[in-house]
Amino acid sequence: VRKGPVADNPALRYIMVVGVAIAVLQQFTGINVINYYTPMMLEGTTTDKDIIFFEHIFVALLNGIGAFIGMNLFDHYGRLPIMKIGTVGAIAGLLIASWGLYSTDVGYIAISGILIFTLFFGMGWGAGAWVMISEIFPDRIREFSMGLAVGLMWISNFLITLVFPIVNDNAWLQEQFHGAFSMWIFVAFNMVCYWFLSRYVPETRGVALEDIEKVAEEKMLKIRLAVQTEKG
């Protein structure tokens, strides 16, 4: 794919930016931190290693169940409504988990919050991000854009996985918040995800690839009108 069509077409530029952003934002929900570091996060809330191991298995299980639920709901209600519900549920799960971590003596609260987060992530961004990036790129930029989106997704995964232990192991933050601070960071990122879905992402349910540019143009027009309204 050459740069020409994207550079000369605002709708294609918009589609590329939105599609890549969806892939990157999926990593900022916190799912891979939950996948990789759950035992470390729960060390301060429970000393029962069997509980931690058992919970870690259920993280993977509930992620898969959530994705199955999401895939079955997308065609009935659309991609965006289900992803928004998933994002709200993920925020609720993170807040519950953060309270459990902050309290330090209520391990089951932290575990329950993590499992709630995982279920709703799977239903929303877990399945939805892959569906969206498979549907949003038209044929003439599809190959390049998919490669860019997935490449940046894994780079984001690497960076977040690298930075999280540094933040989580900070002595002052651990003393003050007992690991909850990291959860609050991901709550903020999920709020950004919800705002991004509401503001910039077009609905792709039932939209043919050859019509996605028209849908993007309509979305861009709505954004311009919204900006003009906000400016008064």
Side-chain angles (χ1 to χ4, degrees), residues 185-226:
I185 292 175
F186 289 118
V187 167
F189 280 136
N190 275 274
M191 293 174 69
V192 171
C193 289
Y194 187 93
W195 168 79
F196 182 78
L197 287 173
S198 302
R199 180 96 175 186
Y200 294 107
V201 180
E203 178 60 69
T204 59
R205 182 182 66 160
V207 179
L209 289 178
E210 58 268 22
D211 297 328
I212 195 67
E213 289 180 52
K214 181 180 178 181
V215 172
E217 290 170 355
E218 293 172 352
K219 188 68 175 179
M220 292 167 63
L221 178 59
K222 290 179 181 178
I223 293 171
R224 284 195 292 268
L225 291 175

Side-chain angles (χ1 to χ4, degrees), residues 47-200:
T47 58
D48 192 327
K49 301 299 182 182
D50 289 336
I51 291 176
I52 294 176
F53 180 73
F54 187 69
E55 182 275 340
H56 203 53
I57 294 174
F58 269 82
V59 164
L61 178 63
L62 287 178
N63 195 351
I65 292 173
F68 178 79
I69 294 171
M71 293 297 290
N72 280 277
L73 293 177
F74 285 150
D75 287 335
H76 291 287
Y77 302 103
R79 283 61 168 145
L80 293 181
I82 303 306
M83 289 185 71
K84 288 178 183 178
I85 293 172
T87 306
V88 172
I91 290 172
L94 288 172
L95 288 173
I96 294 170
S98 69
W99 173 248
L101 293 171
Y102 187 74
S103 302
T104 69
D105 60 344
V106 281
Y108 285 106
I109 293 179
I111 290 171
S112 298
I114 289 172
L115 294 179
I116 290 169
F117 163 80
T118 304
L119 177 67
F120 278 96
F121 166 82
M123 187 179 77
W125 283 84
W130 289 104
V131 171
M132 292 293 291
I133 63 176
S134 70
E135 294 179 340
I136 200 169
F137 299 123
D139 284 336
R140 51 180 168 159
I141 63 168
R142 187 175 182 79
E143 182 178 345
F144 174 80
S145 299
M146 284 286 289
L148 179 63
V150 175
L152 290 178
M153 175 188 288
W154 287 109
I155 290 173
S156 301
N157 178 10
F158 170 76
L159 293 175
I160 292 170
T161 305
L162 184 69
V163 170
F164 173 78
I166 299 173
V167 175
N168 193 68
D169 293 341
N170 181 276
W172 185 85
L173 291 175
Q174 277 294 334
E175 181 181 353
Q176 298 297 317
F177 306 112
H178 314 292
F181 185 80
S182 300
M183 297 294 100
W184 296 335
I185 292 175
F186 289 118
V187 167
F189 280 136
N190 275 274
M191 293 174 69
V192 171
C193 289
Y194 187 93
W195 168 79
F196 182 78
L197 287 173
S198 302
R199 180 96 175 186
Y200 294 107

